[in-house]
Amino acid sequence: MEARRRSSTKPVQSLKPTKTVSVDEDLTKASDALPLPLHLSNAVFFTLFFSAVYFLLSNWREKIRTSTPLSVVTYSEIIAILAFVASFIYLLGFFGIDFVQSLILRPQTEVWNSEDDDEVADVLLRKEDARKVPCGQALNCSLPPLPPPAPIVTVQKVLDEKPVTVLTEEDEEIIKSVVAGTTPSYSLESKLGDCKRAAAIRREALQRLTGKSLEGLPLDGFDYESILGQCCEMPVGYVQIPVGIAGPLLINGREYSVPMATTEGCLVASTNRGCKAIHLSGGATSTLLRDGMTRAPVVRFGTAKRAADLKLYLEDPDNFDTLAVVFNRSSRFGRLQGIKCAIAGKNLYLRFTCTTGDAMGMNMVSKGVQNVLDFLQTDFPDMDVMGISGNFCSDKKPAAVNWIEGRGKSVVCEAIIKGDIVRKVLKTTVESLVELNMLKNLTGSAMAGALGGFNAHASNIVTAVYIATGQDPAQNVESSHCITMMEAVNDGQDLHISVTMPSIEVGTVGGGTQLASQSACLNLLGVKGASKESAGANSRMLATVVAGAVLAGELSLMSALAAGQLVKSHMKYNRSNKDVSKASS
Ligand code: ADP
């Protein structure tokens, strides 16, 4: 067991190194022991090496020509041999070790370690809805600890170690006035013109007002200017969420390292195992079916007849071009795709759909909708706009309209997992997976009256990737709509698995995507910012990655559940005289 625990650290160590600066690298390098700067030492030893080689070869050639035995060695030859050996050892140590390491530490599929999967499968059996023991406990943390690794300091850590914010006497006066209520807390940024100082003062005032400590909620190490007027008001610090990496996830012939921000133990490990099964089976194929963000205002008329008049007008194809010109004025990326209307008496819900480039697009579509509503007032002066959003959109609520019509990006992702990979990596069988999928994800969800919830845990993966990449995590509600299908193919040997997700709402510009940490995660996926090739290509690629990661997560958790069931069935029907709990431990 200890050997397994040790081996489980291997993939992490052997992954392609992220750019971190270790203390050893930074402060005390091996080259510091040399009397000369590194480049001069290298030059000296190179010269020594080649001079010695040249001298010895020319001497020996002369000896061969004059028929002098090679064993007769002069003093100068001894010195040359010593110089050759010394410089050879130096050069081997300097360049040879790096070369050998680069051969040994190969990442990608070789990082997979099948022994780790046993642990993941065991632990996953206890997961999903109700874990009885914390995952860390399930992993038995009482094992003897590994020897402490050399301390690693990332660039971020170095930043964190800057002196913490110190409040001045002037700040003390402002804190007192915030506590007294004479200075509104929300006005600090505009009054001071320094977002970090505003946050520090607000934080201190809050602690005094509430009598509660905020120790543990960091203040330093964050760029408060970057969130002003865009991401968060009245900040007093920031919450840290660890980011794990699942992958490589092979989709459409390309590998992705998927960042997942989560505090749910085993989630990344589970998704990682799914990625491995997909990779070893040749990868997944992810296809974008539709791309359009929606907004649906609600308008009211004096009669249902007038509401119906507007519905007919909006849905008449002859009027579409005019409406599109009005709508598209809002942005060079927002392009109207269609309007679908639903009537409830005198009230009309107008569901506009448009492309939004690389932005998730809520602001963009809202601006276009406002343009059209203003335009309609001319022909429909009796139209009362009750709300720019009438919930027929539908944003951040489970709704059939998104499940059926789609919202954001609609994606289907599939893979064929080879039978032996199902057995060796996922520790189950194709037959068990297909049966469990039918009973759980299809029938079970139908029995529960699910809306878009025909899956095992799509929202786990969606939310973790959303938080890491700066998406709106509240949109996990509809973004996690997913139906997972499984079928035995190739004469029952292999497994065809697919996830169909009609409303993945993602962007790579705007909102939280431009913040430093989130932007780094998008960069890791190769989808940071606006696509230079074609507007929207980055956000569409991100949507296909989200679906691929969900596929991996579904595969892994379903396998863990199926394997658990298999063990129990096996024990019940084949070895009923043995104690199941002892056998499975
Ligand atoms: P959202 O509409 O998702 O809420 P924003 O309101 O921040 O996001 O809109 C995105 C902003 O980024 C818009 O002002 C838009 O003009 C700009 N932008 C720049 N490049 C792109 C791009 N490739 N795709 C979409 N928007 C872009």
Side-chain angles (χ1 to χ4, degrees), residues 94-130:
F94 195 82
F95 297 104
I97 289 173
D98 263 5
F99 176 71
V100 171
Q101 280 181 343
S102 74
L103 289 182
I104 294 168
L105 301 181
R106 293 287 305 273
Q108 309 305 339
T109 52
E110 290 150 43
V111 307
W112 304 119
N113 184 331
S114 73
E115 290 194 0
D116 301 339
D117 300 332
D118 296 345
E119 284 176 16
V120 171
D122 288 349
V123 172
L124 285 173
L125 288 174
R126 291 175 209 113
K127 270 175 57 70
E128 208 194 14
D129 296 334

Side-chain angles (χ1 to χ4, degrees), residues 278 281 283-287 412-419 422 426 429-431 433-435 437-438 441-442 483-500 551 554-555 558:
I278 292 169
S281 299
T285 306
S286 208
T287 309
V412 60
C413 184
E414 66 185 329
I416 292 179
I417 311 298
K418 293 183 186 125
V422 171
L426 301 171
T429 62
V430 171
E431 196 189 353
L433 273 172
V434 171
E435 187 181 29
N437 191 65
M438 189 269 290
N441 288 342
L442 306 183
I483 184 162
T484 301
M485 304 290 291
M486 293 191 196
E487 206 182 306
V489 291
N490 302 335
D491 293 330
Q493 300 296 303
D494 304 331
L495 175 79
H496 182 276
I497 176 172
S498 67
V499 292
T500 308
L551 188 83
E554 289 291 279
L555 192 56
M558 287 297 288

Side-chain angles (χ1 to χ4, degrees), residues 45-61 77 79-85 87-88 91:
F45 279 101
F46 261 118
T47 316
L48 203 60
F49 178 79
F50 287 111
S51 310
V53 170
Y54 178 77
F55 177 80
L56 288 170
L57 287 178
S58 46
N59 261 24
W60 289 339
R61 200 183 66 170
E77 280 175 342
I79 291 169
I81 288 168
L82 287 176
F84 169 81
V85 171
S87 55
F88 181 77
L91 293 173

Side-chain angles (χ1 to χ4, degrees), residues 230 331-333 356-364 509-511 530-531 535:
Q230 188 151 18
S331 160
R332 65 201 155 109
F333 300 103
T356 56
D358 286 307
M360 179 274 288
M362 283 307 302
N363 285 334
M364 210 178 274
V509 298
S531 164

Side-chain angles (χ1 to χ4, degrees), residues 288-297 337 350-356 359-366 369 388-411 466 472 474-481 500-507 539 543:
L288 189 106
L289 305 165
R290 195 165 31 191
D291 181 9
M293 182 41 72
T294 65
R295 178 54 97 198
Q337 294 174 321
L350 301 65
R351 193 172 190 260
F352 291 77
T353 310
C354 74
T355 59
T356 56
M360 179 274 288
M362 283 307 302
N363 285 334
M364 210 178 274
V365 65
S366 301
V369 166
I388 183 90
S389 167
N391 272 9
F392 189 51
C393 317
S394 182
D395 194 35
K396 303 175 184 174
K397 271 104 33 197
V401 72
N402 295 335
W403 176 235
I404 297 165
E405 294 286 331
R407 188 168 200 254
K409 277 87 173 146
S410 305
V411 180
Y466 272 30
D472 188 336
Q475 288 184 322
N476 86 84
V477 174
E478 60 271 31
S479 295
S480 302
H481 282 349
T500 308
M501 304 179 69
S503 13
I504 300 179
E505 295 148 333
V506 288
S539 63

Side-chain angles (χ1 to χ4, degrees), residues 174-297:
I174 305 171
I175 292 166
K176 281 181 184 154
S177 77
V178 173
V179 171
T182 45
T183 300
S185 175
Y186 64 78
S187 68
L188 287 170
E189 275 79 4
S190 58
K191 268 202 168 67
L192 301 172
D194 178 344
C195 293
K196 170 92 183 284
R197 193 170 155 222
I201 289 172
R202 178 178 298 113
R203 178 189 174 97
E204 183 53 33
L206 180 69
Q207 293 187 108
R208 291 186 196 176
L209 276 166
T210 60
K212 300 276 192 297
S213 167
L214 282 176
E215 198 192 340
L217 183 79
L219 171 73
D220 292 286
F222 190 80
D223 177 9
Y224 291 91
E225 312 288 335
S226 69
I227 56 170
L228 183 67
Q230 188 151 18
C231 294
C232 181
E233 299 75 38
M234 302 207 280
V236 292
Y238 58 98
V239 166
Q240 296 161 303
I241 304 179
V243 175
I245 295 294
L249 173 64
L250 184 60
I251 312 175
N252 300 340
R254 196 170 149 177
E255 287 182 341
Y256 299 89
S257 295
V258 184
M260 299 176 71
T262 182
T263 52
E264 180 173 356
C266 304
L267 179 60
V268 182
S270 164
T271 313
N272 196 50
R273 185 174 76 138
C275 290
K276 173 183 177 180
I278 292 169
H279 204 296
L280 293 174
S281 299
T285 306
S286 208
T287 309
L288 189 106
L289 305 165
R290 195 165 31 191
D291 181 9
M293 182 41 72
T294 65
R295 178 54 97 198

